[in-house]
Amino acid sequence: MYFFLSNLSTLDILYVSTTLPKLIYISHTGDHVMSYTGCLAQLYLFLLFGDTECFLLTTMAIDRYVAICFPLHYSLIMSKQVCVLLTFPAWFMASVNASLVTCYAHNLTFYGLVEVKNFFCDIKALLSASISDTTSLRTFITVDAMFVGVFPSCLILASYICIIHTVLKIKSSHGRWKTFSSCSSHITIVVVYFGSAISLYLTNSLTNSLEQDLVLSMMFVTLVPMLNPLVYSLRNKDIIRALRRIIHTKISCLL
C-alpha cells in the first residue's frame, strides 16, 4: 500500500506542477500569452500524469481487493516485484496515450492569436479554438476517455463489489466497519477524480457551459492532489491527535 502511496504522492507533485505554476505566473504578472510549443508540452505532461493517476488508482483498488479478500496471502501475492509490474504499465500506457493525443493536437490548425478558454492547455479547449475539422479527433477523445476513465472505473467497481461481498461475511459489525474503513480514503479520491474527469470529457460540449468545464477542470487538477495527502493522513492516529490538539487550542483561545 505504501509503495503505491509513494507513487501517488510523486504523481500529485508532478501533476500540479504542470498547470499551477503557469496559472500563478499569469495571476501575478497578467501575462496570458503561452507559446504553441509550451502549450503542447503542458498538454502532454497533463495527460501523462492525469492518465497515470487513473491507472494507478485502479491498481490501488486491486491492492485493496487482495488485502481484504486474501489477507493471509497478501504479502505473498503483492510482492515488491508484483507492485513494480503493476505500476510500470500505468506509466507506460499513460505515456503512449498522451503522445497520441498530443500528436493529434499538433495537427490542429489555428488562426492568429488563439484564446484558450481554460486556465491551462486542455484538449477540449484547444478543439473549440481550432478552425480545423475536429470531428475525428472528438470521436477519438470520446473513445480514449472510455479507455482511460470508464474501463478503469469498471475495474474499480468490480474490485469493490468483491470487497463488499467479503466484508459482509464478517460476523462482527465492528470488524466489518474496521475492514471497510481501510478503503474509505481510496473511495473518496476515486469518486471525486473519476466523477469530475468523466463528466468533463464524456459529455457533449454543448451540454456543459464554460463555467461548468472550468469547475470540473479545477476539481481534478487541484482538488484531488490537495485531498490525497489530507484524506490518507486522516487515517493516521498521530495526525488525528495533532489536529485535535490544534482545534482544542483554537477553541480555548476563542473562549
Side-chain angles (χ1 to χ4, degrees), residues 57 61 68 79 101 109 160 183 186 190 223-224:
L57 289 173
I68 293 175
S79 62
V101 177
T109 303
Y160 276 106
C183 305
H186 182 258
V190 166
L223 183 61
V224 174

Side-chain angles (χ1 to χ4, degrees), residues 29-242:
T29 63
D31 182 8
H32 296 258
V33 179
M34 177 183 282
S35 67
Y36 181 63
T37 304
C39 183
L40 289 179
Q42 187 184 63
L43 174 65
Y44 172 78
L45 293 174
F46 170 75
L47 291 173
L48 170 62
F49 301 136
D51 293 352
T52 304
E53 182 145 352
C54 290
F55 296 134
L56 186 61
L57 289 173
T58 307
T59 304
M60 294 174 72
I62 296 173
D63 173 72
R64 291 295 84 207
Y65 162 73
V66 175
I68 293 175
C69 298
F70 305 97
L72 299 180
H73 299 87
Y74 176 75
S75 59
L76 180 63
I77 297 174
M78 299 300 293
S79 62
K80 291 182 179 180
Q81 292 79 6
V82 172
C83 290
V84 172
L85 289 175
L86 287 174
T87 306
F88 175 76
W91 288 90
F92 177 75
M93 289 189 296
S95 63
V96 172
N97 183 69
S99 299
L100 289 174
V101 177
T102 306
C103 287
Y104 265 112
H106 179 67
N107 294 324
L108 293 175
T109 303
F110 300 93
Y111 181 76
L113 193 64
V114 176
E115 180 182 2
V116 177
K117 297 183 183 299
N118 208 326
F119 60 90
F120 68 101
C121 285
D122 177 50
I123 184 61
K124 199 172 181 180
L126 290 177
L127 289 176
S128 300
S130 175
I131 60 175
S132 304
D133 181 10
T134 60
T135 305
S136 59
L137 182 52
R138 289 181 186 275
T139 303
F140 173 78
I141 290 174
T142 302
V143 175
D144 182 66
M146 296 284 290
F147 170 71
V148 177
V150 177
F151 180 65
S153 299
C154 293
L155 287 179
I156 293 172
L157 181 61
S159 298
Y160 276 106
I161 289 174
C162 295
I163 288 172
I164 293 173
H165 180 70
T166 302
V167 169
L168 292 177
K169 292 181 180 179
I170 301 175
K171 296 181 180 180
S172 168
S173 59
H174 175 72
R176 288 196 297 268
W177 169 251
K178 185 177 181 180
T179 303
F180 194 72
S181 64
S182 63
C183 305
S184 58
S185 302
H186 182 258
I187 292 175
T188 303
I189 300 302
V190 166
V191 170
V192 175
Y193 188 83
F194 279 90
S196 56
I198 291 175
S199 298
L200 179 61
Y201 290 106
L202 279 183
T203 53
N204 192 295
S205 58
L206 296 177
T207 60
N208 274 6
S209 65
L210 175 61
E211 291 76 14
Q212 288 176 320
D213 283 350
L214 288 174
V215 170
L216 291 171
S217 298
M218 185 65 72
M219 284 183 65
F220 72 86
V221 169
T222 60
L223 183 61
V224 174
M226 181 185 70
L227 282 179
N228 276 337
L230 179 62
V231 170
Y232 281 103
S233 297
L234 288 178
R235 297 191 64 248
N236 187 299
K237 294 181 179 179
D238 293 332
I239 293 179
I240 292 176
R241 282 197 293 266

Side-chain angles (χ1 to χ4, degrees), residues 17-27 31-35 42 119:
S17 297
T18 63
T19 55
L20 293 190
K22 181 63 177 178
L23 179 61
I24 294 172
Y25 172 80
I26 291 173
S27 301
D31 182 8
H32 296 258
V33 179
M34 177 183 282
S35 67
Q42 187 184 63
F119 60 90

